[in-house]
Amino acid sequence: MKRNALVGLIALAALTTAAYAGTIHGKVSGVSGESVVYVEAIAGKTFPAPAQHVLIDQKGLMFAPHIVAVAQGTTVDFLNSDSVAHNVFWISISGNKKLGHNLGTWPKGQKQSFKFDNPGVVPLLCNVHPEMAAYVIVSPTPYFATTDKSGEYKIENVPDGAYTVTAWHEGAKYKSNPVKVAGDTTADFTLSK
Ligand SMILES: [Cu+2]
């Protein structure tokens, strides 16, 4: 093979890798348990609403799971599996009270759905049981992950580029950091109350 052709092939392979192989991974510390890490809105880019619904169950007087991360535009199905009636409401999304909503109250075996078109943190409550609480984190991009219990996370298939990445944890101050993604990229966060 001629040298020029080989150089061309290597360059093409490098470009292909750069466009598809970005990964953001790291650790969220300073807090214990699950956090959510997501890439903030990217100028000039929109993403189709995911077709697949996500289920949040109400079982044993608890929301399950307690923390759910979804991409903007996702429809969440809220199921009541208890023999008592449950309600679902939120007073705001990321503090914006205009985005507050009450889905109503329904009995066992029934569900209500809601499409989360606004990104942000949605603190779920049930007005029948004040102790019930959960969070939906609506990521403005499809690039998000929930950490494991030790705080480790991995967001795959992120195109190379410069982004703002936010780490959120229940009861802590969220943190947004600039992250330049080039292939396999590390981004650690330290959160505090
Ligand atoms: Cu309830």
Side-chain angles (χ1 to χ4, degrees), residues 18-23 42 45 47 143 156-163 181-183:
Y20 294 103
T23 298
I42 304 164
K45 265 204 169 180
F47 301 95
Y143 312 125
E156 289 181 288
N157 299 316
V158 183
D160 285 358
Y163 303 108
V181 175

Side-chain angles (χ1 to χ4, degrees), residues 1-12:
M1 190 183 286
K2 282 194 174 159
R3 192 173 173 276
N4 278 351
L6 185 63
V7 168
L9 266 182
I10 291 168
L12 187 65

Side-chain angles (χ1 to χ4, degrees), residues 76-98:
V76 174
D77 299 329
F78 293 94
L79 174 68
N80 181 356
S81 292
D82 279 337
S83 49
V84 295
H86 285 300
N87 162 271
V88 177
F89 79 102
W90 53 95
I91 59 162
S92 63
I93 295 181
S94 284
N96 182 349
K97 293 200 167 158
K98 285 181 184 154

